[in-house]
Amino acid sequence: MTQTMPQQMWHRQSRHICWLMAALVVAGLAAGDALPFLYTNTRAAINWTQPQLDEWKIEAQPRSVVPHVQFKYHANRTNSEPADSDAEFLERLRALRQNRSSARMLWYDAAAGDGLTYPPFVDKALKLFNLKQVAFEIENSVLSKVSCTACKAGAGLLQHYIKSGKTDAELMKMIAQYCTNLNIQSPRVCEGVAQLFGSEVIYVLQRVNLGPDELCSFIIGDGCGDVYNPYHEWEVIFPPVPKPPRLAELPIPLEAAPFFKVLHISDTHYDPHYVEGANADCNEPLCCRLSSGRPANPNAAAGKWGDYRKCDTPKRTVDNMLAHIADTHKDIDYILWTGDLPPHDVWNQTKQENLEIIKETVKQMTEKFPGVPIFPALGNHESAPVNSFPPPYVNQVDISINWLYDELDVQWRRWLPQSVSHTVRRGAFYSVLVRPGFRIISLNMNYCNNKNWWLLLNSTDPATELQWFIYELQSAEFSNEKVHVIGHIPPGHSDCLKVWSRNFYKIISRYESTITAQFYGHTHFDEFEMFYDPHDLTHPNSIAYIGPSVSPYYDLNPGYRIYYVDGDHDTTTRLVIDHESWIMNLKEANLYGYPIWYKLYTARAAYNMQALRPNDWDKLLNDLTDNQELFEMYYKNYWKNSPARPTCDAECKKRMLCDCKSGRSHDRRHFCADVESKIDEGSSKSWKSWFYRGLTNSTGEQQTEEQNNTEFNEFGVSDVVFGVFG
């Protein structure tokens, strides 16, 4: 069955949680003695204790205070180079077609139905909890009361079994068995998930005094109620320095002034085990591997350059993209690299394999872009298991995250100054003075990740990252520096903890005159996110650029971004002047045997924007709400012009534009009421207009028939009414 846009658009990951919960729910239904525990209205009070104080002193750490980069001079450089015309692009495709050695069309073909027969007690569970809906919702970060109910049932059961004295091995075996018996995933995926994630989840739940309500409110957010508990209610502290007066309107960057050309690469998800011709339509979270089995028909075979189905990026595609960028954009000044390097085979990843992928991709970037500064940020897939980022106070050797952060320090040091080593090893975040008056701060957004189970122990500013962020921003304000912030998970995304996002939002508002742009990845789509003054929602104060993924996972074309940033001159704003999105049409690449990368759009030209200041993006957001034709262009660009993109109805449009407006997670009601009401009103007007236009046309045609005595009457009033109500 073809899925609609609201079903497909949200980020595809973190399946381990839904598999664990689904298996546990049915386990509970099979074990009748556990059911009374699940549905009791009483729960133990939260036994909150003050967490151990962190001895880390922010002000004692070394800082990057000497400009780190000397950019090359590019004479006569412009950011207005013309792209290929449609005719030129088609001509290149024709040339490829004439020279191709083999051709195979890659089509997307969704299978209908699963044909599974469940035993009676499992069928009862599916009716009660709709486990397939739960699995889909958690997989795609769109969570409803169905997922909330299942979460509470699964969490309650697991806590019950832990208290009853079952061993870790017994619990993990039980999870794997039920996952397999229910056909939630293949046996090896179920076994891998149970082994990789089960021990971590059990470890955490053994040490928290939270009931199912608190646990699921933490994991799911607003879809499961806003349950108070002191571990997840905290505030950052701002220095006693008055906020500088804000400008009535930010100046537009000078058109002829020097600029920086910046490459943004995100979500590579390089799969070293991708095999052309392997099964792309398997029953596991990642396909296109030898282990995926033989394709059932030629249409199910993985393409040479990638696939629109659940497949990550083959090495040849990454190599080709980097070679294309190095050849096409020879004047790149620096690169933003916002994480997610390993593939989506989250059930069988190891620390060693993930480290090898990090080393290989770092080597690849260094060789393709020698001498070009690269500023990386950490994704949620770099850890093994995925999303597992224990804070510094979790320092046992077998569960500490030091294995990853220490290696990142080694790999990143080729681009970063020695002064950032301490914060990279502590929490994989850093601050670098790039040029005089211009700083880049890279944040580890996994400390806001609500799939990071370690934060259940205590989510209060993990690794003291946000307090350090304030210290860096205040120092930048004192030094009259402008700051670009980079990270992986956008702070307004539903994967970001509400309390962390709320504190971050306050920081952005306080330092709006210092922070001139933010850059993230994670969603795989081409989009943006707005920030407003919390006390004045009519005042937009920051913009977050969310770059497209290199990985086609799934239903997407591979892509990357180019930004033009106000450069070194006396009146520089350090704002983004313009940006371009470049893509490769995956279907055409597999058809003709060779990929062509081309510029999909340029922001200011495509959306008729005066500049890219926050108020310009706010105006665009209003235009997208009111102008359906403009929204359809944005929707095409959002999906990177993928031929596999689904349709978008009014509900889909509301979700997309609310995402743009909500830089603060799990707070849609606060930001989206006006957007939703306008879209609802527009949908109503559109329907009425269509209906009355039909009536008018029908009447006009009848009058024409009477006057001219024509033979045909194409539309009558009764036809129109029947078409609407029949």
Side-chain angles (χ1 to χ4, degrees), residues 28 78 93 162 199-200 322 334 352-353 356 361 391 443 452 512 558 568 603 625 641 651 662 696:
T78 176
L93 288 181
I162 289 172
S199 58
E200 177 180 302
L322 296 180
Y334 62 89
Q352 188 57 41
E353 184 170 348
E356 289 303 317
T361 50
L443 296 176
N452 183 5
E512 65 174 279
D568 287 340
T625 305
N641 200 25
E651 290 302 312
S662 304
T696 304

Side-chain angles (χ1 to χ4, degrees), residues 336-357:
L336 304 178
W337 195 19
T338 52
D340 266 14
L341 311 183
H344 287 85
D345 59 336
V346 297
W347 70 92
N348 68 348
Q349 289 178 337
T350 66
K351 295 175 181 178
Q352 188 57 41
E353 184 170 348
N354 279 17
L355 289 179
E356 289 303 317
I357 289 175

Side-chain angles (χ1 to χ4, degrees), residues 147-167:
S147 293
C148 179
T149 302
C151 175
K152 290 178 181 179
L157 272 170
L158 190 51
Q159 290 182 315
H160 171 75
Y161 287 135
I162 289 172
K163 291 177 181 178
S164 69
K166 288 189 179 295
T167 65

Side-chain angles (χ1 to χ4, degrees), residues 18 129-139 143 146-147 150:
C18 62
F129 294 108
N130 195 351
L131 296 183
K132 285 186 173 289
Q133 180 180 343
V134 173
F136 178 84
E137 288 183 359
I138 298 182
E139 172 184 338
L143 303 172
V146 176
S147 293

Side-chain angles (χ1 to χ4, degrees), residues 499-515:
V499 63
W500 197 100
S501 180
R502 184 182 68 221
N503 278 282
F504 184 85
Y505 205 84
K506 291 178 181 177
I507 295 171
I508 296 299
S509 179
R510 166 59 185 83
Y511 295 101
E512 65 174 279
S513 62
T514 298
I515 299 169

